[in-house]
Amino acid sequence: MSTVGIEGGLFILLLLFASAFDLKTRQIPDSLSLAIAIVGLLQGSLLPALSGLLVTGLPYLLAAMFSGGKIGGGDMKLMAACGVFLGPLYGTLQSIIGLMLVLLFAIGICFRHGLHAAKQTALPLAPFLAIGGIAAFFISH
């Protein structure tokens, strides 16, 4: 198996663990985000890793600061780590795909239960962001 395959497999596995933790506890362990960042650094390209960290993580930092607790620090750290792994372009693509999936899911809740229920439903982001990350990884390779 190639290095890309091993690193990609670890990335996907760690995203799945983050999703499971977020679904169960509504928290993402820092150790998972750190592990994703380390796997990203193993790829050896420091400039794309650092720019990915900033470009992908900064919007989530701002969202965490201004969302009144609707987006947590775990989501921000997860996305910053994914930016280290995927770089700025594919980290951004991960965000676009993941957030579009959240939006579609929320629209489904709205149609089924009404707008008020959709507004009151707290959704864990990690599963959606994980799907976006897996898709971005495969698109990038």
Side-chain angles (χ1 to χ4, degrees), residues 11-83:
F11 176 65
I12 291 167
L13 186 63
L14 291 166
L15 285 175
L16 293 175
F17 282 139
S19 296
F21 272 98
D22 200 19
L23 283 167
K24 187 172 182 170
T25 67
R26 300 296 176 137
Q27 295 183 341
I28 302 166
D30 291 343
S31 58
L32 290 174
S33 296
L34 181 60
I36 290 171
I38 290 169
V39 172
L41 290 172
L42 291 175
Q43 297 179 94
S45 302
L46 190 58
L47 185 57
L50 291 177
S51 60
L53 179 134
L54 292 173
V55 168
T56 307
L58 188 59
Y60 289 87
L61 172 63
L62 295 172
M65 290 170 48
F66 297 111
S67 71
K70 292 184 179 182
I71 294 184
D75 299 315
M76 181 265 309
K77 290 179 254 184
L78 177 67
M79 288 307 296
C82 288

Side-chain angles (χ1 to χ4, degrees), residues 84-137:
V84 171
F85 183 86
L86 293 169
L89 176 64
Y90 293 105
T92 301
L93 180 61
Q94 175 185 10
S95 287
I96 292 168
I97 294 169
L99 294 175
M100 282 178 53
L101 291 172
V102 170
L103 180 60
L104 290 173
F105 198 83
I107 290 170
I109 293 170
C110 185
F111 280 126
R112 184 167 172 102
H113 301 288
L115 181 60
H116 181 72
K119 286 182 178 181
Q120 300 301 318
T121 302
L123 297 172
L125 282 182
F128 300 101
L129 297 174
I131 294 168
I134 293 166
F137 172 74

